Amino acid sequence: MDLSIQNIEYCKGVGTKRADILRKELGVKSALDLLYQFPYKYIDRSRFYYIHEIEDEDTYVQIIGHITEWHTIGAGAAQRLSATFTDGRHNIELVWFKGIKYVKLERNVKYLLFGKPSRFNHQYNFVHPELTPMSKVQPEMAKGLEPHYNTTEGMKRTGMNSKAIRTIVAQLIPHLRRQGVPDTLGMDMLEKYHLMGLNDALANIHFPVDNTAMQHARERLKFEELFYIQMQILRQMKRRELNEGYVMPIVGKHFHSFYRECLPFELTNAQKRVVREIQTDIKTGKQMNRLLQGDVGSGKTMVALLTALLAIDNGYQACIMAPTEILANQHYESICKMLSPLQAGPKVALLTGSTTAKQRQPLHEQLQNGEIDLLIGTHALIEDSVQFANLGLCIIDEQHRFGVAQRAKLWNKNTRPPHILVMTATPIPRTLAMTVYGDLQVSIIDELPPGRKPVQTLHYVNTRRTSINQFIEQQIGLGRQVYVVYPLIKENEKMELQDLQNGYNQLCQTFPQYRISMVHGQMRAKDKDEQMRRFACGETQILVATTVIEVGVNVPNASVMIIENAERFGLSQLHQLRGRVGRGAEQSYCILLTNVEQSKDTRKRMDIMVATNDGFRIAEADLQLRGPGDLEGTQQSGLPFELHIASLSTDGQLLDIARQAALEILDADPLLEEMHNRIYKQRLDFLRIAAGSWGEIS
Ligand code: ADP
Ligand code: MG
């Protein structure tokens, strides 16, 4: 039986109905697919316990013994069955609350008891344990590490629980041992990195002979997973390198006169370095795909503008795309202002959802005839109706708000894909960057403009209103402004508005002498902008907001950021919010408010925020605490790869090795044409077909 083509339907214990469910719920079509559904945990069934050896509640144990007596307690729904189980030396209570009538107990029968102890009244007992008469214990049941599998509701409905999967998998193992499947990694690779062969690994991931074998199996399968992800990413990159890009060798009049005459400040060394990196990139003739990471306030906008000027000097158009209208407006205004001293400077235009049809028409024309040099806008930019004469550069601000597919859409705005510069203020942990943006070159601004005082972060419990209010009053007295931010409550928009409204009312009551703005996501863009404007120009002293202000807003006079229910925010998000203050010369503060009662996790996260202002450290911590799926930056755009066994939080080192291995192969043979690389090419083709058209989105 060839497991890789063996239809799962015809495997023992499956059948049409279950096969359907497996296909729908897990994408499992063949026997081999099922073997790639790895257990999420194991329970050690090699060890037999005595009752007195039980020492915690989290470990499954098995004990041999018999029942000495049993009785029911209570009546009706509250009825329970209590039995005494003995191992010959000690006794322990067994309890059943449900299905009591199905529990058949017998005296003088030797049982194998299996279950997780719980603690009740300072004593251990077992609730709903598995009791099997020793005469019926199958040999594999009480042997070795028992695999447990994730199942979905749909699977359970057809009786396919973890145990059923185990049974199906168990009968595939002998086939694996006898005939096996072709390895997905070459012999030389296995040897070089000391990896277990595939058949051995698959057998041992499900039914490990011992702990060491299980670890080796895991390592091998993790490597395989990471290696093929890197192969896909890097092959994409290599292919792209073969693509021609626009050549922009000139540093011309716009760039020079701006740099000499209009620069409002000296660039930081980091800004200079990044501009040089970009300059070097765009004159090579290869298409640039660069990710610019720089903490909030590090001055990415200036880098964007200088890059745009380079493109324009070379005769191309450029565009800057921002995630929100507020931000697009702000970019437009600040860039126009910076460019205004230039004689005959480039022509800049703005395009957002608010641009009227009447305004659009001439705009579209001027884009098409090349009159407009730089277009700044929102998503509206990528609509098909927006056509350029000669778009050579796209800058995407705050990447995490854009999907990968949208990035791809920009490419098609010209005959060759334009150079792409993606800017993000959410530092991305290294492992994640290698996986999500592994096909991009990375530039980092790791230096803030001079004269900034680091924001001081404090964690308060929200019962200390009086001192917080005093602090607000004191700061406003000094002429500063204050943000108060409420979390977005996705499940319940009503509640979110209510929290916000209550907070607003309370502040109005406490501070009748101040003017207060309020913005939230459900407001009309016009009203939102008006409220923001009033705060930005100092008409109002306090801005109460949901996270709509998270991205990009720049009010240097605001020096206090108060975050309500800080425990509801991710670390990266807190860091982003904190970046709204500390933009002026004054000492700024970020106050994190949580309930008096905090989970351990909340405590940890607040401690990290208080301890560091380093966005990269925060991102790493976020990854460790929450895993990659929840991270800002992957949420909206989604991880392009699903990891089944490797983890970006803990397998960083293995990822390095796998990436290196992939690079070595592709450097020598970018198109995988050589005979000995056929194994990799075939596997990549297979993965692409299995995943749909992966290649097109990245
Ligand atoms: P971000 O990287 O968050 O987009 P911005 O580009 O908005 O940061 O810059 C934040 C602030 O710092 C702006 O007011 C900008 O004018 C200022 N700035 C940027 N670069 C420098 C610099 N080299 N020296 C002084 N101020 C700078
Ligand atoms: Mg910015």
Side-chain angles (χ1 to χ4, degrees):
M1 166 157 97
D2 183 347
L3 294 170
S4 49
I5 52 170
Q6 167 74 15
N7 189 331
I8 189 71
E9 181 178 343
Y10 306 121
C11 294
K12 208 172 147 200
V14 184
T16 324
K17 207 165 143 204
R18 286 183 159 191
D20 259 1
I21 298 275
L22 280 173
R23 192 163 35 240
K24 268 201 212 103
E25 305 274 323
L26 302 177
V28 166
K29 296 188 195 108
S30 67
L32 185 60
D33 289 345
L34 188 65
L35 289 171
Y36 267 88
Q37 300 290 318
F38 306 131
Y40 72 96
K41 70 166 184 193
Y42 303 87
I43 290 171
D44 187 353
R45 301 208 70 164
S46 63
R47 175 170 172 196
F48 293 86
Y49 280 73
Y50 286 110
I51 289 168
H52 73 271
E53 289 177 308
I54 294 173
E55 53 190 16
D56 67 67
E57 297 176 61
D58 289 330
T59 319
Y60 280 89
V61 298
Q62 50 189 357
I63 308 172
I64 296 172
H66 55 270
I67 308 275
T68 53
E69 62 83 32
W70 62 89
H71 57 277
T72 52
I73 303 166
Q79 195 181 44
R80 63 177 209 254
L81 169 64
S82 165
T84 306
F85 182 86
T86 177
D87 61 9
R89 300 191 209 172
H90 297 89
N91 296 342
I92 193 163
E93 189 195 12
L94 314 183
V95 188
W96 286 267
F97 299 101
K98 284 186 231 154
I100 293 174
K101 63 178 178 215
Y102 301 109
V103 182
K104 297 273 176 277
L105 299 175
E106 277 182 81
R107 251 179 282 266
N108 300 323
V109 166
K110 212 190 218 181
Y111 285 108
L112 176 68
L113 177 150
F114 177 70
K116 201 152 64 164
S118 39
R119 224 174 142 82
F120 182 71
N121 274 345
H122 308 292
Q123 280 198 314
Y124 287 112
N125 65 13
F126 285 98
V127 177
H128 294 173
E130 217 178 280
L131 272 184
T132 320
M134 279 308 273
S135 56
K136 294 201 178 136
V137 170
Q138 287 153 3
E140 77 270 18
M141 256 176 78
K143 212 177 74 183
L145 295 168
E146 182 183 81
H148 285 246
Y149 300 87
N150 280 317
T151 50
T152 62
E153 280 309 311
M155 288 166 67
K156 285 191 193 118
R157 247 176 273 130
T158 59
M160 247 187 314
N161 51 18
S162 178
K163 195 170 166 187
I165 300 282
R166 183 159 63 236
T167 314
I168 303 168
V169 171
Q171 52 90 22
L172 293 175
I173 301 295
H175 295 285
L176 202 57
R177 292 263 182 234
R178 217 175 305 130
Q179 194 181 357
V181 292
D183 209 304
T184 55
L185 300 173
M187 273 307 282
D188 47 344
M189 180 94 76
L190 297 183
E191 267 167 36
K192 183 164 177 191
Y193 298 102
H194 310 288
L195 300 169
M196 203 181 231
L198 180 58
N199 290 309
D200 232 8
L202 286 176
N204 275 292
I205 193 86
H206 292 286
F207 295 97
V209 271
D210 56 27
N211 229 314
T212 318
M214 188 256 281
Q215 293 304 341
H216 281 167
R218 287 181 67 77
E219 175 125 338
R220 138 81 207 213
L221 292 163
K222 281 178 178 184
F223 181 93
E224 174 180 330
E225 181 167 75
L226 294 169
F227 171 78
Y228 275 105
I229 288 175
Q230 289 303 318
M231 282 294 270
Q232 293 180 59
I233 294 170
L234 293 170
R235 189 154 76 140
Q236 204 71 29
M237 191 171 88
K238 293 275 169 202
R239 276 216 206 104
R240 206 181 287 154
E241 278 176 8
L242 300 177
N243 274 355
E244 278 182 75
Y246 296 113
V247 196
M248 302 186 182
I250 302 166
V251 181
K253 99 174 186 262
H254 289 316
F255 187 96
H256 275 312
S257 39
F258 178 78
Y259 204 91
R260 268 194 230 114
E261 296 154 32
C262 311
L263 216 52
F265 37 68
E266 168 94 8
L267 296 189
T268 62
N269 285 327
Q271 283 170 317
K272 284 183 198 162
R273 189 190 67 238
V274 170
V275 172
R276 262 199 310 274
E277 282 167 1
I278 292 170
Q279 219 175 316
T280 314
D281 236 16
I282 59 179
K283 67 181 175 201
T284 57
K286 285 181 192 162
Q287 186 220 358
M288 174 177 78
N289 279 282
R290 188 169 281 278
L291 175 69
L292 172 57
Q293 294 196 52
D295 231 326
V296 200
S298 60
K300 294 186 292 296
T301 316
M302 178 53 77
V303 173
L305 176 57
L306 290 170
T307 308
L309 290 178
L310 283 173
I312 296 166
D313 275 341
N314 282 277
Y316 295 91
Q317 290 167 298
C319 67
I320 301 178
M321 188 157 82
T324 66
E325 209 154 298
I326 297 181
L327 199 57
N329 286 326
Q330 205 168 62
H331 277 329
Y332 177 70
E333 277 159 28
S334 66
I335 284 178
C336 285
K337 201 167 131 206
M338 284 197 271
L339 290 176
S340 61
L342 272 188
Q343 305 267 309
K347 186 167 163 64
V348 187
L350 177 71
L351 175 65
T352 68
S354 299
T355 312
T356 61
K358 219 172 119 195
Q359 293 165 321
R360 266 172 178 262
Q361 219 222 326
L363 198 77
H364 283 186
E365 273 172 30
Q366 290 171 351
L367 282 171
Q368 256 174 24
N369 66 24
E371 251 178 82
I372 292 172
D373 299 300
L374 173 59
L375 181 64
I376 298 171
T378 54
H379 282 83
L381 276 182
I382 54 175
E383 287 165 19
D384 291 331
S385 59
V386 182
Q387 293 294 331
F388 294 81
N390 194 14
L391 182 67
L393 168 74
C394 295
I395 299 171
I396 306 175
D397 196 10
E398 309 293 353
Q399 150 80 7
H400 59 276
R401 304 279 164 133
F402 290 109
V404 192
Q406 288 165 320
R407 200 180 353 145
K409 238 181 146 179
L410 279 169
W411 291 20
N412 301 324
K413 293 267 175 207
N414 207 347
T415 42
R416 288 181 201 166
H419 296 305
I420 305 266
L421 179 67
V422 167
M423 306 198 294
T424 176
T426 311
I428 299 158
R430 204 180 51 89
T431 54
L432 202 58
M434 267 158 67
T435 310
V436 183
Y437 304 115
D439 58 333
L440 305 182
Q441 308 296 324
V442 177
S443 285
I444 293 178
I445 306 187
D446 49 6
E447 181 188 359
L448 290 180
R452 297 272 171 81
K453 291 201 184 78
V455 180
Q456 216 173 317
T457 304
L458 306 161
H459 175 201
Y460 276 95
V461 292
N462 57 13
T463 44
R464 296 187 56 190
R465 290 284 161 193
T466 325
S467 38
I468 294 160
N469 287 337
Q470 275 169 3
F471 183 69
I472 294 180
E473 196 164 357
Q474 182 222 346
Q475 287 289 307
I476 297 181
L478 289 169
R480 315 279 144 68
Q481 288 164 285
V482 177
Y483 292 104
V484 181
V485 179
Y486 284 83
L488 207 73
I489 304 172
K490 273 200 202 108
E491 325 76 75
N492 192 338
E493 285 178 0
K494 251 204 193 128
M495 205 164 103
E496 169 191 331
L497 279 188
Q498 210 167 42
D499 278 2
L500 190 73
Q501 191 69 50
N502 289 344
Y504 175 77
N505 294 344
Q506 241 162 40
L507 283 166
C508 289
Q509 257 173 32
T510 318
F511 301 113
Q513 70 274 37
Y514 300 142
R515 281 177 304 270
I516 305 178
S517 297
M518 177 162 76
V519 291
H520 55 78
Q522 274 104 294
M523 275 164 96
R524 288 190 316 187
K526 221 177 96 206
D527 299 336
K528 204 157 58 183
D529 287 355
E530 172 60 12
Q531 293 287 322
M532 285 303 305
R533 189 198 60 76
R534 291 181 66 208
F535 185 69
C537 72
E539 261 176 54
T540 57
Q541 288 82 40
I542 303 176
L543 174 70
V544 184
T546 52
T547 37
V548 286
I549 62 152
E550 184 195 330
V551 169
V553 186
N554 190 19
V555 183
N557 190 48
S559 67
V560 182
M561 167 64 65
I562 296 176
I563 304 176
E564 299 273 355
N565 294 111
E567 72 275 4
R568 283 175 174 266
F569 292 88
L571 281 182
S572 302
Q573 221 181 356
L574 289 174
H575 182 63
Q576 289 274 307
L577 284 169
R578 176 165 63 183
R580 297 301 114 216
V581 295
R583 304 187 147 224
E586 290 74 355
Q587 177 62 56
S588 292
Y589 302 89
C590 173
I591 298 177
L592 307 169
L593 296 177
T594 63
N595 283 330
V596 183
E597 287 188 22
Q598 301 149 28
S599 67
K600 221 162 99 189
D601 180 65
T602 299
R603 182 87 231 170
K604 252 196 212 154
R605 296 196 292 133
M606 297 306 126
D607 287 350
I608 292 167
M609 288 305 296
V610 171
T612 182
N613 276 314
D614 180 339
F616 281 95
R617 264 186 68 194
I618 288 169
E620 290 290 347
D622 216 8
L623 179 63
Q624 301 301 333
L625 286 172
R626 296 200 299 169
D630 285 328
L631 277 197
E632 193 75 2
T634 56
Q635 241 164 11
Q636 284 92 346
S637 51
L639 270 177
F641 304 96
E642 212 179 324
L643 290 170
H644 296 286
I645 185 163
S647 148
L648 293 182
S649 349
T650 51
D651 295 322
Q653 224 173 356
L654 200 60
L655 175 58
D656 280 336
I657 299 171
R659 186 175 170 94
Q660 200 48 45
L663 256 181
E664 261 169 44
I665 294 174
L666 288 169
D667 277 343
D669 181 14
L671 298 176
L672 299 177
E673 287 164 329
E674 288 178 34
M675 198 54 202
H676 62 269
N677 286 330
R678 258 187 55 185
I679 179 170
Y680 303 117
K681 189 165 189 308
Q682 274 171 0
R683 181 73 184 162
L684 284 167
D685 288 344
F686 169 81
L687 289 172
R688 196 179 56 232
I689 292 162
S693 55
W694 184 86
E696 282 164 31
I697 59 160
S698 142

